[in-house]
Amino acid sequence: MKRAIVTPATLPPSALAELKQWLGITTAHDDALLASLLKAALDMCEAFTGLMPVEAGCEEVLAARSGWLPLSTRPVQAITGIETISEAGIRSTLAADAYEFELDADGTGRVRVLQRGNATRIAVQFTAGIAPDWETVPEALHHGMMRLAAHQHREREDSSASPLPPAAIAALWQPWRRMRLV
């Protein structure tokens, strides 16, 4: 499986303003650094919980085989299209009647290609995320991401490596954590 984020989640200016308020920063000098720390906190939250916090447009490339194929990103909100990929790398859009998909209550998305032809892989386009935007992210996740970005900013020059996320942030995210047995 290879995932690409086609349309990344957008962070509004209010997210940066909130982080700057947390840190007591009033100038725009570090805005680019702080914005990248917020994006890294989004990624870290997903890595820890197993759930994408803010909706984004994604694509996963899977081996074309029979049966149901689960997507690794969760929670899937909508599957928007599937393309077959030949061994030569040529993509062809599948008609809606050439595949089926399921969205489970836990956010897992599955696809089954009914007519794959000579495809060796398939590319599944979908939207995934807990909340449609930054403002509606559940409070514990939101607070944890803000604290993580602030922590990373404060510790940026400390040479001692500490485990991430710190225990206070892990405690906020723990109820959201989803594990999978493979």
Side-chain angles (χ1 to χ4, degrees), residues 12 17 25 39 42-43 47 62 71 86 90 102 105 109 114 117 120-121 126 130 135 140 154 166 173 177 180-181:
I25 296 174
K39 290 177 185 168
L42 277 170
D43 292 342
L62 308 167
L71 299 172
S86 70
I90 299 169
E102 292 179 346
L114 304 172
T120 58
R121 294 173 293 152
F126 59 96
I130 295 171
E135 289 82 12
R154 288 185 189 118
W173 291 347
R177 194 168 199 180
R180 285 194 213 182
L181 299 175

Side-chain angles (χ1 to χ4, degrees), residues 7 9 16-17 20 31 33 38 45 74 85 102 106 110 112-113 125 130 134 137-138 156 163 175 180-181:
T7 309
L16 180 59
K20 288 172 75 171
D31 283 3
L33 169 69
L38 280 170
C45 180
R74 293 185 339 195
I85 306 172
E102 292 179 346
D106 71 351
R110 288 184 190 72
R112 178 169 59 179
V113 177
Q125 294 88 28
I130 295 171
W134 175 258
V137 170
R156 68 190 178 280
R180 285 194 213 182
L181 299 175

Side-chain angles (χ1 to χ4, degrees), residues 48-97:
F48 185 86
T49 63
L51 302 169
M52 186 175 276
V54 181
E55 280 186 10
C58 303
E59 178 181 88
E60 284 188 23
V61 176
L62 308 167
R65 61 178 207 267
S66 61
W68 288 99
L69 304 171
L71 299 172
S72 63
T73 306
R74 293 185 339 195
V76 175
Q77 300 297 329
I79 293 177
T80 56
I82 299 179
E83 296 176 326
T84 58
I85 306 172
S86 70
E87 196 166 331
I90 299 169
R91 289 183 175 226
S92 301
T93 302
L94 276 177
D97 63 348

